[in-house]
């Protein structure tokens, strides 16, 4: 879609002063998908030269905000970490053509903060931390699970930029399980649940997304039984946390979430606790 109110496109490397009507331009798949009448200028991130995927000395993984889904998918297929299969599973949950895959970015998916965003699911499940940069150059860090505040809402100030997401080495060593459901064969995710079992201490993290207005990462020092897991999900999400749109009613989303969470508990704990 043409953005006929945009008067100027600036290179982000020039560090232009932020003003009303500005927007960061990454892949542009959301910006150009619908009218944006409030925009007057785009600040283009495509020439920043940020390395898309970087393995850090401590074993953690840094994903640049400008890393495309296609680039991340290629990396995930060749990566040797125990959690590697989760990368491709979440990329495949992305309802998009190959053209979108080659333009859409990890950062854009997080900053859109849509419940069905699979990069939100991936990075929240692996205990990711966002690095945010303000206009004055100051940096702050916030967990992905806390960065997304609700459907379309995120913890991002005026002119603030999501620079990268870092996934810790300990999470990358986890054994993972993935479940996803949609009402349609090629539909947007209505439910997405990910489990991660830490081999070091046996703790279990269950991350619920797509069915909820924001991601919920539930951590258990020891795998819970069925009833404890069910109670933890219901307590965390609450009555108002289930998303409601044409891709699924809240009751269906809750039912499938609880079903998938139990399947994951059993898969990762070889039957889990009794119950």
């Amino acid at each position: 879609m043409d953005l006929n109110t945009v008067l100027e496109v600036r290179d982000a490397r020039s560090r232009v002063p932020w003003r009303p009507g500005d927007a960061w331009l990454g892949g542009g798949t959301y910006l150009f998908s619908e009218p944006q009448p409030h925009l007057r200028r785009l600040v283009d991130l495509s020439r920043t030269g940020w390395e898309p995927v970087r393995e850090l000395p401590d074993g953690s993984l840094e994903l640049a905000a400008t890393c495309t889904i296609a680039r991340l998918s290629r990396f995930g297929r060749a990566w040797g970490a125990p959690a590697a299969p989760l990368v491709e599973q979440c990329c495949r949950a992305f309802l998009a053509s190959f053209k979108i895959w080659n333009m859409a970015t990890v950062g854009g998916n997080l900053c859109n903060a849509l419940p069905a965003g699979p990069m939100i699911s991936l990075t929240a499940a692996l205990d990711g931390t966002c690095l945010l940069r303000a206009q004055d150059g100051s940096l702050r860090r916030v967990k992905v699970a806390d960065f997304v505040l609700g459907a379309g809402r995120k913890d991002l100030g005026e002119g603030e930029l999501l620079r990268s997401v870092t996934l810790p080495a300990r999470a990358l060593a986890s054994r993972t399980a993935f479940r996803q459901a949609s009402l349609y064969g090629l539909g947007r995710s209505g439910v997405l649940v990910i489990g991660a079992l830490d081999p070091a201490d046996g703790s279990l993290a269950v991350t619920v997304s797509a069915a909820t207005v924001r991601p919920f990462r539930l951590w258990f020092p020891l795998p819970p039984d069925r009833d404890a897991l069910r109670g933890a999900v219901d307590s965390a999400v609450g009555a108002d946390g289930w998303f409601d749109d044409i891709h699924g009613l809240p009751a269906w989303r809750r039912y499938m979430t609880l079903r998938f969470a139990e399947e994951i508990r059993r898969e990762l704990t070889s039957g889990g606790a009794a119950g």
Side-chain angles (χ1 to χ4, degrees):
M1 172 173 291
D2 293 335
L3 300 181
N4 55 18
T5 62
V6 172
L7 304 175
E8 185 180 11
V9 178
R10 297 292 298 271
D11 190 328
R13 295 173 299 176
S14 64
R15 304 295 290 270
V16 295
W18 196 262
R19 65 192 189 196
D22 283 356
W24 298 108
L25 172 61
T29 55
Y30 167 72
L31 280 179
F32 290 96
S33 70
E34 60 182 51
Q36 310 283 349
H38 61 290
L39 295 185
R40 298 295 179 271
R41 182 172 67 173
L42 302 180
V43 184
D44 186 8
L45 297 168
S46 64
R47 298 178 183 176
T48 53
W50 298 336
E51 189 173 351
V53 184
R54 190 160 65 104
E55 296 184 77
L56 303 179
D58 66 357
S60 59
L61 190 71
E62 182 187 71
L63 307 178
T66 50
C67 176
T68 64
I69 306 306
R71 178 67 181 83
L72 181 61
S73 173
R74 290 196 299 271
F75 172 81
R77 291 197 298 271
W79 192 29
L86 191 59
V87 172
E88 185 68 6
Q89 288 168 328
C90 287
C91 287
R92 292 293 169 185
F94 206 103
L95 179 61
S97 69
F98 74 93
K99 294 180 287 186
I100 298 297
W101 263 43
N102 281 281
M103 294 301 296
T105 62
V106 171
N109 196 244
L110 267 72
C111 290
N112 280 340
L114 299 178
M119 296 298 100
I120 298 172
S121 305
L122 171 67
T123 54
L126 294 178
D127 199 24
T129 299
C130 299
L131 176 63
L132 308 175
R133 190 183 72 200
Q135 283 295 298
D136 62 6
S138 61
L139 302 173
R140 66 184 180 101
R141 289 173 171 80
V142 60
K143 291 288 189 181
V144 172
D146 298 321
F147 175 72
V148 179
L149 303 175
R153 298 189 301 114
K154 61 274 186 183
D155 180 11
L156 201 61
E158 183 69 20
E160 197 169 25
L161 171 69
L162 172 60
R163 167 62 180 84
S164 62
V165 179
T166 300
L167 309 177
R170 186 159 181 170
L172 302 181
S174 297
R175 187 159 62 93
T176 63
F178 174 95
R179 297 289 190 281
Q180 183 259 359
S182 171
L183 289 178
Y184 318 101
L186 295 175
R188 177 181 295 179
S189 296
V191 181
L192 203 158
V193 184
I194 295 170
L197 185 69
D198 189 326
D201 62 7
S203 62
L204 176 68
V206 176
T207 302
V208 175
S209 59
T212 53
V213 295
R214 66 175 184 85
F216 292 89
R217 187 176 190 270
L218 310 178
W219 182 81
F220 305 91
L222 291 174
D225 62 18
R226 180 187 61 186
D227 291 339
L229 177 58
R230 182 186 185 97
V233 172
D234 277 337
S235 177
V237 178
D240 299 326
W242 301 103
F243 195 49
D244 184 4
D245 71 352
I246 61 171
H247 298 283
L249 294 173
W252 173 77
R253 293 179 191 264
R254 175 180 175 272
Y255 171 82
M256 293 301 296
T257 295
L258 294 173
R259 172 180 168 178
F260 286 162
E262 173 60 12
E263 288 180 5
I264 283 172
R265 182 188 73 89
R266 292 180 175 274
E267 177 180 334
L268 292 180
T269 62
S270 298

